[in-house]
Amino acid sequence: MNEFLKRVLARITNFWSKGSMLQRIVLVGIVFAVIAGIFALTKVSSAPTMAPVFDAPIRDEVALDRIVLRINQEGVKSAVTPAGIVQVPDERTARRMRSILIREDLVPSGMDPWAIFDRERWTITDFERNVNLQRAIQQMVTDHIKALDDVDDANVTIVAPERELFRSDQNPVTASVIITPRPGSDITANRKKIEGVQKILKFAVEGLLDDNIVITDQAGIVLNDFTGMAAIDRINIIDKENKLIQALEAKYRAIILTALQKTFTEDRVRDLNIKIDMDMSKKAIDTEEFFPITIKPRTPGLPYDDSELARSITRSESNSDTRWEGTGYNPEGPAGVEGQTPPAFKDMSNLYGRMTQETKTHNEEINRKTTLEERSPQIDRATVSVNIDGKWKWKYDEKGRPVMLADGSIDREYTPIPPEQLRSTQLWIQNAVGYNAARGDSVTVQNIPFDRTRQFSDEDAAYLRKKQIQTTVMIFHLGLTILLVSFIIFRLISKELERRRRLAEDERARREQAIRESAIATAEEEGVDVSISVEERARMELLESVTNMAKEHPEDCAQLIRTWLLEE
């Protein structure tokens, strides 16, 4: 192998050294083209394969967005090709998504549902083609039902009879499904999911009706028998109707209560009860109305109505007048033949008479309007009751202090709401809820004082606590002031005593110094050798150094003396 590689490399080197520049460029281009082809083939082969949810493209952008959004809600990654085909990672996921989309009526309009069951097979005869088609449909439906999250296993049987010449002889297409629910699933009690399985069967099998579909569980209990669920559906409808009424009551209550609390404050408006009776039945009302004809409309801007109305307009009129006068004659036919005149008219024959007949026809045109409307639902009756408290105020004496009762509580005065304000509030609430006296609506606004015993007790306790705190703070400030004044007086007295003591010591020291200096001077004059103690000598040296320091640095000494004076 190594020898083969060496020979190949030697030939390439020999060709490269002997070849022209054009040959070298062509060789390099071929090598690069091969490398690029290998790279593109690797990328294409490594790209993930995706399965289409529907074979036919979806042209409706709105339907496409709904389908992609529903697939994303299931946590499945999807992609849309430029042609409009929705793709998911694998075929099993595609079957599950198709089942969900069919169950929730998200299949786009105009799309052939049979496209999801297409299978291209080689056939020989029509019988084999039909058998293969039925088997493919049955297997595909089984896979679809098994792909549901609530189904652990499914067994589907579809019977498609041969077509007869006459429709009356044609047997219907039937289907039976046995499903095994997964543990924890509610498919056996969820009507919507069972109807989704029925829709899968109806889309997959042509001519299949709901009455010819039987869906059972593994125990043989029929799941798609919805005749016994009418009572449950009625309960669900009643529950939804009650929720609608409660939502409407909560809406009106929030609007009215918020407005009243902004007007009278939240503490004075606490209770508001509203009850709405609604007629949920569907009614068709046919109304026929007759009204006058407008000859002249009202002129805009005038303070009065100058329009002209007419109850009706003559459309046509006819009169006819018939007069007859003479002898009455009743012919009886040819001579010799008995006539056919009744006996009652025979008695009036050959009598003289007079007849006058007048006919008047008068057609009038009027305005007529016919209205056909359906109402559902509508409010039958609305009742509103609200209680608003008055105002409580403290009573004060001449000094502006609250008046206290014998039991230690604060005396208060209650001011009720004026009747005019209650009537105005009642009128406002009537307009807010659409008051209609004809249907028996009722709005009641009362002024009943709230029980504020606990509130007043808390206010009294807070006031007394505040007064106690004020008294304590006042006593504390007074004691602190007395203590501070006492300290200042004590400090002044102490400083005065200290100053007097220091002056006395200075005077005594001055006298002692004068005595010592006098003794020293006397001894020097007499020539007597005087012995000075160590302490006296140190004191003299210290005094001499202080004197020299004061002479050399007078400013520093003055600053030191000022500091001592400030401290004193």
Side-chain angles (χ1 to χ4, degrees):
M1 186 65 182
N2 293 334
E3 295 296 332
F4 176 74
L5 292 177
K6 289 180 180 180
R7 288 197 299 271
V8 171
L9 292 176
R11 291 180 182 178
I12 293 173
T13 305
N14 187 21
F15 177 77
W16 183 265
S17 59
K18 293 181 179 180
S20 61
M21 182 60 66
L22 180 61
Q23 292 176 345
R24 293 178 181 178
I25 293 173
V26 172
L27 179 61
V28 172
I30 293 173
V31 171
F32 276 105
V34 172
I35 294 174
I38 294 173
F39 179 76
L41 182 62
T42 303
K43 293 293 290 183
V44 171
S45 61
S46 62
T49 58
M50 302 187 73
V53 179
F54 298 106
D55 294 340
I58 302 174
R59 306 298 182 185
D60 189 359
E61 294 294 336
V62 178
L64 181 61
D65 293 340
R66 288 202 300 265
I67 291 174
V68 174
L69 180 62
R70 185 65 183 86
I71 293 176
N72 293 336
Q73 290 178 356
E74 295 294 328
V76 177
K77 183 180 180 181
S78 62
V80 181
T81 63
I85 297 177
V86 182
Q87 295 180 341
V88 291
D90 51 38
E91 184 62 29
R92 177 178 177 83
T93 306
R95 288 196 299 267
R96 186 166 65 89
M97 291 300 104
R98 280 195 292 267
S99 302
I100 294 174
L101 295 176
I102 293 173
R103 181 183 67 193
E104 299 186 3
D105 291 332
L106 291 179
V107 178
S109 59
M111 175 176 288
D112 184 11
W114 282 87
I116 62 176
F117 302 111
D118 287 342
R119 289 293 184 270
E120 188 68 27
R121 300 180 184 275
W122 296 96
T123 58
I124 300 175
T125 63
D126 292 341
F127 175 76
E128 292 179 350
R129 185 183 297 110
N130 294 333
V131 170
N132 291 336
L133 176 62
Q134 183 174 354
R135 292 177 59 188
I137 293 173
Q138 183 169 318
Q139 182 61 37
M140 186 62 70
V141 173
T142 304
D143 295 340
H144 271 65
I145 297 176
K146 286 183 178 180
L148 298 176
D149 293 337
D150 299 303
V151 178
D152 195 11
D153 193 9
N155 187 3
V156 180
T157 301
I158 300 174
V159 178
E162 295 183 359
R163 293 185 178 274
E164 300 291 342
L165 180 60
F166 299 102
R167 180 174 297 180
S168 59
D169 298 335
Q170 180 68 43
N171 294 324
V173 180
T174 59
S176 63
V177 181
I178 301 176
I179 60 175
T180 302
R182 288 189 178 180
S185 173
D186 62 340
I187 189 172
T188 57
N190 194 323
R191 178 174 180 174
K192 186 175 181 181
K193 294 181 180 180
I194 298 299
E195 289 179 347
V197 177
Q198 281 190 348
K199 288 182 179 180
I200 292 176
L201 292 169
K202 289 173 62 178
F203 274 114
V205 182
E206 181 183 5
L208 185 59
L209 302 177
D210 292 339
D211 296 337
N212 299 327
I213 300 175
V214 176
I215 302 176
T216 64
D217 59 2
Q218 72 276 15
I221 300 175
V222 180
L223 303 178
N224 64 332
D225 185 10
F226 304 128
T227 56
M229 301 182 67
I232 298 176
D233 294 340
R234 179 58 181 166
I235 293 175
N236 295 333
I237 292 174
I238 294 175
D239 184 52
K240 293 180 180 179
E241 292 175 353
N242 292 332
K243 289 182 178 179
L244 176 62
I245 295 174
Q246 292 173 2
L248 188 60
E249 291 175 350
K251 176 183 176 181
Y252 279 116
R253 185 180 185 277
I255 294 173
I256 299 173
L257 189 60
T258 302
L260 292 178
Q261 288 179 349
K262 289 181 179 179
T263 304
F264 298 99
T265 70
E266 296 182 1
D267 185 57
R268 295 175 58 192
V269 182
R270 305 176 186 176
D271 304 328
L272 191 147
N273 300 319
I274 182 169
K275 182 67 175 68
I276 297 177
D277 297 331
M278 298 188 67
D279 183 9
M280 296 296 180
S281 61
K282 187 175 181 180
K283 296 180 180 179
I285 302 175
D286 188 1
T287 306
E288 185 176 8
E289 181 182 2
F290 298 92
F291 55 93
I293 298 174
T294 303
I295 299 176
K296 177 185 176 183
R298 179 177 179 177
T299 303
L302 289 180
Y304 59 90
D305 187 3
D306 63 340
S307 61
E308 296 182 7
L309 304 176
R311 293 186 176 180
S312 61
I313 297 176
T314 303
R315 184 172 184 177
S316 63
E317 184 178 0
S318 63
N319 298 323
S320 62
D321 188 1
T322 304
R323 297 179 183 274
W324 177 83
E325 186 175 347
T327 302
Y329 175 73
N330 294 323
E332 296 185 358
V337 179
E338 186 177 358
Q340 303 296 324
T341 303
F345 289 96
K346 286 183 178 181
D347 296 339
M348 301 175 61
S349 179
N350 301 322
L351 296 177
Y352 177 81
R354 177 183 295 177
M355 182 186 70
T356 301
Q357 180 179 0
E358 293 183 2
T359 303
K360 291 183 178 181
T361 303
H362 193 70
N363 296 324
E364 295 287 334
E365 188 71 25
I366 59 176
N367 277 341
R368 176 185 177 186
K369 182 174 68 175
T370 302
T371 304
L372 179 61
E373 58 181 349
E374 292 184 357
R375 294 182 180 178
S376 176
Q378 62 180 358
I379 299 177
D380 279 349
R381 186 171 181 264
T383 58
V384 182
S385 62
V386 60
N387 181 31
I388 305 175
D389 193 8
K391 295 181 180 179
W392 291 91
K393 293 184 179 179
W394 290 5
K395 291 184 178 181
Y396 295 89
D397 55 10
E398 295 79 4
K399 297 181 179 180
R401 293 176 298 184
V403 177
M404 304 299 293
L405 298 176
D407 58 352
S409 60
I410 301 173
D411 190 9
R412 293 173 175 83
E413 180 182 4
Y414 179 75
T415 304
I417 300 177
E420 297 80 7
Q421 193 172 7
L422 289 177
R423 286 193 294 269
S424 301
T425 304
Q426 182 179 4
L427 180 61
W428 182 87
I429 296 176
Q430 289 177 357
N431 295 330
V433 299
Y435 176 80
N436 187 359
R439 67 187 182 191
D441 293 352
S442 174
V443 176
T444 304
V445 180
Q446 296 290 339
N447 177 205
I448 302 175
F450 293 156
D451 183 10
R452 298 179 181 269
T453 304
R454 178 175 296 179
Q455 177 184 349
F456 291 164
S457 176
D458 295 340
E459 290 179 357
D460 295 343
Y463 177 75
L464 294 177
R465 185 165 55 253
K466 181 180 178 181
K467 294 295 290 183
Q468 291 175 357
I469 292 174
Q470 291 177 354
T471 304
T472 303
V473 170
M474 186 179 298
I475 295 174
F476 174 77
H477 287 170
L478 182 60
L480 185 62
T481 303
I482 295 173
L483 181 62
L484 183 61
V485 171
S486 301
F487 178 76
I488 293 173
I489 295 174
F490 174 77
R491 183 65 177 172
L492 292 175
I493 295 174
S494 299
K495 285 186 176 182
E496 182 63 22
L497 294 176
E498 181 67 23
R499 187 180 66 83
R500 292 182 179 183
R501 184 184 61 77
R502 189 167 57 252
L503 291 175
E505 290 179 355
D506 292 343
E507 182 64 23
R508 185 172 59 254
R510 187 181 62 78
R511 287 197 302 267
E512 292 177 356
Q513 180 65 24
I515 293 172
R516 283 194 296 270
E517 290 179 355
S518 176
I520 293 172
T522 303
E524 288 179 354
E525 290 178 357
E526 295 179 356
V528 178
D529 188 11
V530 181
S531 62
I532 302 174
S533 62
V534 177
E535 291 81 3
E536 188 66 23
R537 188 176 297 277
R539 184 175 180 277
M540 293 178 63
E541 291 178 357
L542 180 61
L543 182 60
E544 185 178 359
S545 63
V546 169
T547 303
N548 294 332
M549 181 68 69
K551 292 179 180 180
E552 293 177 358
H553 305 282
E555 294 181 357
D556 295 342
C557 292
Q559 183 68 26
L560 178 61
I561 293 172
R562 282 195 296 268
T563 304
W564 286 348
L565 293 176
L566 291 175
E567 290 180 354
E568 294 297 332

